[in-house]
Amino acid sequence: MSYVLSGVVGAPRRVWRRLALWLHARMPKGLYARALLIVILPIVLLQSAVAYVFIERYWEAITDRLSAHVARDVAAVVDIYKSFPQDEGHAILSRIAAFDLNIQVAILPKEPLPTPEPKPFFSLLDRTLSRELSHRLAHPFWIDTSIGNTNLVEIRVALDDANLQILATRTQAYASNTHIFFIWTALAAVVILAIATSFLRNQIRPILRLARAAEEFGKGRDVAFRPRGAREVRQAGAAFLEMKRRVERAIEQRTTMLNGVSHDLRTIITRFKLSLALMAESAEAAEMRKDVDEMERMVEAYLAFARGDGGEAPTATDLDAMLEELRADTERRGIETRLSFSGNPRIVVRPAGIKRLLANLVGNAQRYGKHIDLTAKNDGKALTIHIDDDGPGIPVERREDAFRPFYRLEEARNQDNANTGLGLAIARDIARSHGGEIELERSPLGGLRASVTLPV
Ligand SMILES: Nc1ncnc2c1ncn2[C@@H]1O[C@H](COP(=O)(O)OP(=O)(O)OP(=O)(O)O)[C@@H](O)[C@H]1O
Ligand SMILES: [Mg+2]
C-alpha cells in the first residue's frame, strides 16, 4: 500500500525534477544574461497580461457599445421610415440620417437580400454588430463590414415594401486604432530594456573584474584591483584584497624564516669545516668531511628553495626557446633528446622559476634515461609539457613520496651523488605558485613521464 502511494506521490516529483533539470540546462549561465532575464521576464508577463485584459474587456466593451449605437440608429431610421409614409421622396428621413445620425440611407426596391459573405473568423465587429441588430430589429437584415477597401459598413434591412440600405463608417461601430496601444507598450518595453541593460552592465562589470583579479592571483600574477560597484560587491572585493595580503604575508614569513634557519646552519657548517681542516688526517675525519659536504649541499639547496621565486616579476616568456636550450644542453651530454612544441610558445610566467622547474625535471630524466622526449602543447587554456625518459621510472606507490623534500628513492646506493632530493619539491612549488601542477606518470618510452600544466 505504502509502495503504491509513494509511487503515486513520486511521479509528479519526478516530472518536476526532470522539468527543473531541463530548465536548468537551457537557462543562460552568465550572470549578465540571467540578470537581464530577471528584468525581461516580468515585463513580458506583465505586458501579456495587460494586453489580454485590454483586448478582452476594454476593446470588446467599447465595440459592443459603439455597435449598439449604430444598431439603435438603424432601428430609428427604420421606425421613421415606417411612421412617415407621407414623407415625399423620403427627404426628411435622408436629412435626419445624414445630419443627425451621420449615416447615409438609400431606399432600394424590394428584392431578396444578398447571401451573406463568409465572415472572417476573428471579426469582432461582425459578431457584435449582428448581435446588436438582431436585438433591435424585427426585420431580416444583412451586413457587410468590409465593402471593397473602403472604411464603410453596409447594412441592408428587408422591409415589407422596400429594402433599406444604410452606410455607416467603421469607426462609428468599432473601436479602432487599438494598435497604437501595442506600439506604445512595445516602445516602452524597448526603452525599459535599454535602461536596464546599461545599468546591469555597470553592476556586473565590478564582479567580473573581481573574478579576473582572483584568477590572476591564483596564477601567481599580480593585477591592479580596486573594489568598486555595489556595496556587497565592494565588500567581496575588500575581503579578497585582505585575503591576498594575508597569503602574501604568510609566504613572506615562511621565506624569511627558512632563510634565517638555513643561514644559521650554514654558519655552523662553515665552523665545522674549519675545525675539520685543522684536524689530523684520518679515515674518520674523511668520513665526517663527506657528511659535512653533503649537509652543506642540502642547506644550499634549502636556501634556494626558501628563496623561492619571490620578487621575480611575471613576464611573457618564450618557452619553446627555453626548452630548446635545455634540449641542446642534454644533447651535448650525449643523450638523445627530441623536442616538439605546438601552439603559442609565449606565456606569462616567472622565467627564472620556470627555468629552474624544467631544468630540474630534464635533469632527472637525464640522470635516469638514454632518450628524452620533450612534448609541449598550448591549447589556448593551458600549456602542457611532457618530459619523457626511458629510465627505470618510479613505481606508482612512490610517486607521491618523490615530491617530498629530501626524498630519494635510491637512498642506499646513491649516498655520494650530488642530489639532495629537493628538486621535485621545488618544481611542484613553482608550478603551484603559477596556478599549475606537476604529475608523474608512466612514460610511453618506458620510464617516467613528468607532466607540467601551466594556465595560460
Ligand atoms: N626520471 C626519473 N626516473 C626515475 N626516478 C626518478 C626520476 N626523477 C626523479 N626520480 C626519483 O625521485 C627522487 C626525487 O627527485 P628530486 O628531483 O626531487 O630529487 P633529486 O633529483 O634526487 O635531487 P635534486 O633534484 O635536488 O638534485 C629522485 O631521487 C629519484 O629517486
Ligand atoms: Mg632532481
Side-chain angles (χ1 to χ4, degrees):
M1 176 67 191
S2 72
Y3 173 77
V4 172
L5 244 181
S6 80
V8 171
V9 173
R13 196 178 296 161
R14 261 200 310 282
V15 170
W16 172 245
R17 195 171 309 148
R18 201 165 305 158
L19 189 74
L21 275 177
W22 182 85
L23 257 181
H24 185 78
R26 267 150 199 81
M27 277 289 160
K29 296 287 174 286
L31 180 56
Y32 188 46
R34 281 189 181 189
L36 263 187
L37 202 68
I38 291 171
V39 176
I40 292 173
L41 215 59
I43 293 181
V44 170
L45 285 180
L46 182 72
Q47 286 205 339
S48 309
V50 167
Y52 179 74
V53 171
F54 181 79
I55 291 171
E56 227 0 61
R57 313 297 296 270
Y58 176 79
W59 191 29
E60 275 201 38
I62 298 286
T63 300
D64 268 3
R65 235 165 269 172
L66 289 174
S67 290
H69 270 290
V70 171
R72 247 176 263 151
D73 291 349
V74 170
V77 167
V78 170
D79 205 0
I80 292 172
Y81 178 85
K82 288 203 287 193
S83 312
F84 296 97
Q86 70 276 29
D87 184 6
E88 200 55 48
H90 308 291
I92 298 175
L93 176 61
S94 299
R95 198 195 63 224
I96 292 177
F99 288 103
D100 297 334
L101 306 179
N102 197 22
I103 53 180
Q104 292 173 44
V105 177
I107 315 294
L108 304 178
K110 174 85 186 150
E111 60 179 35
L113 290 174
T115 44
E117 298 269 323
K119 301 262 181 287
F121 183 71
F122 272 122
S123 174
L124 178 65
L125 178 56
D126 276 288
R127 249 186 301 133
T128 47
L129 194 57
S130 295
R131 194 182 59 222
E132 292 300 326
L133 281 172
S134 54
H135 284 172
R136 295 278 164 193
L137 292 177
H139 299 275
F141 64 89
W142 169 92
I143 59 173
D144 185 358
T145 52
S146 49
I147 33 177
N149 264 337
T150 61
N151 200 13
L152 293 174
V153 179
E154 182 179 355
I155 302 161
R156 291 193 194 185
V157 185
L159 300 177
D160 299 334
D161 55 344
N163 279 0
L164 218 52
Q165 185 202 35
I166 294 148
L167 292 173
T169 53
R170 275 173 76 86
T171 43
Q172 275 174 290
Y174 181 69
S176 61
N177 284 345
T178 37
H179 60 281
I180 287 188
F181 170 81
F182 293 108
I183 291 176
W184 271 109
T185 38
L187 244 128
V190 169
V191 171
I192 290 172
L193 264 183
I195 294 173
T197 311
S198 66
F199 268 99
L200 276 178
R201 200 187 291 274
N202 280 339
Q203 293 309 304
I204 285 167
R205 201 175 300 140
I207 300 179
L208 294 180
R209 219 177 273 147
L210 172 60
R212 206 169 317 123
E215 202 183 314
E216 291 293 297
F217 180 57
K219 290 180 190 171
R221 301 172 198 166
D222 209 14
V223 276
F225 171 74
R226 206 155 59 83
R228 269 192 216 165
R231 193 180 54 226
E232 289 82 355
V233 180
R234 264 209 312 273
Q235 261 170 16
F240 164 70
L241 280 184
E242 183 56 36
M243 183 198 78
K244 181 166 169 274
R245 259 195 296 276
R246 254 185 234 145
V247 169
E248 281 166 351
R249 213 180 308 137
I251 293 175
E252 207 183 291
Q253 233 165 31
R254 183 194 75 166
T255 312
T256 334
M257 199 184 79
L258 288 181
N259 246 331
V261 170
S262 310
H263 193 264
D264 291 351
L265 282 178
R266 197 154 61 168
T267 321
I268 296 173
I269 289 170
T270 313
R271 271 214 306 273
F272 225 142
K273 277 172 88 175
L274 213 65
S275 319
L276 275 174
L278 293 177
M279 250 162 85
E281 204 57 52
S282 73
E284 248 167 61
E287 193 68 25
M288 267 169 95
R289 207 167 289 135
K290 220 175 87 188
D291 277 351
V292 170
D293 277 346
E294 194 187 346
M295 211 157 138
E296 187 180 23
R297 266 203 314 275
M298 281 168 88
V299 170
E300 286 301 334
Y302 214 55
L303 256 175
F305 181 34
R307 261 195 310 272
D309 45 14
E312 201 190 356
T315 38
T317 314
D318 186 344
L319 289 198
D320 192 16
M322 196 181 272
L323 283 169
E324 174 52 34
E325 226 173 89
L326 287 169
R327 193 198 64 80
D329 221 38
T330 15
E331 282 281 342
R332 269 198 294 279
R333 286 164 201 238
I335 293 170
E336 196 185 312
T337 315
R338 281 174 302 192
L339 165 65
S340 81
F341 203 111
S342 69
N344 180 14
R346 290 190 76 80
I347 70 168
V348 179
V349 290
R350 297 194 194 89
I354 293 295
K355 181 84 187 274
R356 197 138 142 232
L357 179 160
L358 291 174
N360 234 308
L361 296 179
V362 174
N364 285 352
Q366 230 175 60
R367 185 151 15 105
Y368 296 99
K370 295 269 163 296
H371 297 269
I372 301 179
D373 268 0
L374 306 173
T375 334
K377 186 164 160 251
N378 182 352
D379 64 2
K381 278 195 208 114
L383 175 76
T384 318
I385 306 170
H386 296 305
I387 294 142
D388 291 306
D389 66 55
D390 59 351
I394 303 180
V396 185
E397 67 280 1
R398 306 192 64 178
R399 283 184 195 152
E400 224 12 75
D401 291 336
F403 284 106
R404 289 209 326 251
F406 302 113
Y407 183 88
R408 282 172 297 179
L409 264 74
E410 58 291 279
E411 198 88 50
R413 54 187 164 89
N414 261 345
Q415 271 303 344
D416 54 2
N417 78 11
N419 307 303
T420 54
L422 263 178
L424 283 175
I426 294 176
R428 179 173 258 186
D429 201 55
I430 294 170
R432 286 189 174 164
S433 78
H434 282 81
E437 188 50 283
I438 298 186
E439 248 129 52
L440 298 181
E441 295 155 88
R442 221 191 125 64
S443 163
L445 293 185
L448 188 75
R449 158 175 282 188
S451 302
V452 187
T453 355
L454 297 170
V456 176

